[in-house]
Amino acid sequence: RGEGSAWGEVPTLLEAVSRKRRSEGGRALPALQPCSGPDRARPRLILKKRLLLISIVALILTAADQGTKWLARSTLRGAPAIIVIPGYLDLEYHENPGSAFGLLRDLPGARYILIAVGLVALVLVWNMVRRVGDKGPARVVADLAFALVTGGAVGNLLDRSYHGRVVDFILMHWQ
């Protein structure tokens, strides 16, 4: 796209059209914006900052997830449930070798299948982060959602990898 190509002639043509429009009393065409330089690097910098912030929040949430599960293992395992809100919310220790609601718990190799599914889900979430726009409150909400999903998914991946099952300890009663 150098001087010898048609692209090299575009600025000259636009300048000629702008001069003609001005001479006829019209407005000039807007100037061409550069395709490189700091303006082009800005979206990448914003994305890097977003990814860093999401990663930090996800890391904090993963640490909190693992800390609360360690606490549940050490205090709730083998103990009676702790009633937090009678009829609605209890703390009760459970180990789930399957997926949500214990699905796939009896499937041979479910642990490895669920680890693979978790990794694929993380890749999909991180690809979605790149597609969310750079402005507005929707982006902030989306980034928080991505951090929450990532923190929970990494926590569950750690549980499956090291313990073979996910620790659950919050029991909600639906009436």
Side-chain angles (χ1 to χ4, degrees):
R1 295 187 181 188
E3 292 297 321
S5 70
W7 287 104
E9 298 173 14
V10 170
T12 308
L13 290 172
L14 288 175
E15 290 169 9
V17 171
S18 290
R19 275 194 303 269
K20 183 171 182 346
R21 287 182 73 182
R22 276 193 300 259
S23 68
E24 294 173 352
R27 284 186 21 215
L29 293 174
L32 288 177
Q33 298 297 318
C35 292
S36 62
D39 289 340
R40 187 167 175 113
R42 183 166 158 59
R44 282 190 291 239
L45 181 63
I46 290 171
L47 180 62
K48 284 181 182 180
K49 286 182 179 180
R50 286 179 55 213
L51 291 175
L52 179 64
L53 186 59
I54 291 169
S55 298
I56 290 169
V57 172
L59 185 64
I60 291 168
L61 292 170
T62 300
D65 176 79
Q66 291 299 293
T68 56
K69 288 177 179 180
W70 174 83
L71 192 61
R73 267 189 219 94
S74 61
T75 59
L76 295 174
R77 186 187 291 175
I82 298 172
I83 298 170
V84 178
I85 302 173
Y88 293 100
L89 181 66
D90 299 343
L91 299 180
E92 185 175 78
Y93 185 82
H94 293 279
E95 290 182 348
N96 184 358
S99 64
F101 309 111
L103 297 173
L104 305 176
R105 69 175 163 252
D106 296 327
L107 181 69
R111 172 184 183 180
Y112 303 105
I113 293 169
L114 292 171
I115 287 172
V117 167
L119 290 171
V120 168
L122 281 175
V123 169
L124 292 174
V125 165
W126 282 94
N127 280 327
M128 288 173 35
V129 168
R130 298 174 61 93
R131 295 170 193 242
V132 173
D134 288 334
K135 295 181 181 164
R139 191 212 68 209
V140 174
V141 172
D143 287 354
L144 179 60
F146 292 139
L148 289 168
V149 169
T150 300
V154 170
N156 286 352
L157 283 171
L158 290 172
D159 276 359
R160 286 191 203 289
S161 298
Y162 291 112
H163 306 291
R165 51 191 35 97
V166 173
V167 171
D168 293 322
F169 62 92
I170 299 174
L171 178 62
M172 297 184 73
H173 304 280
W174 299 101
Q175 299 178 6

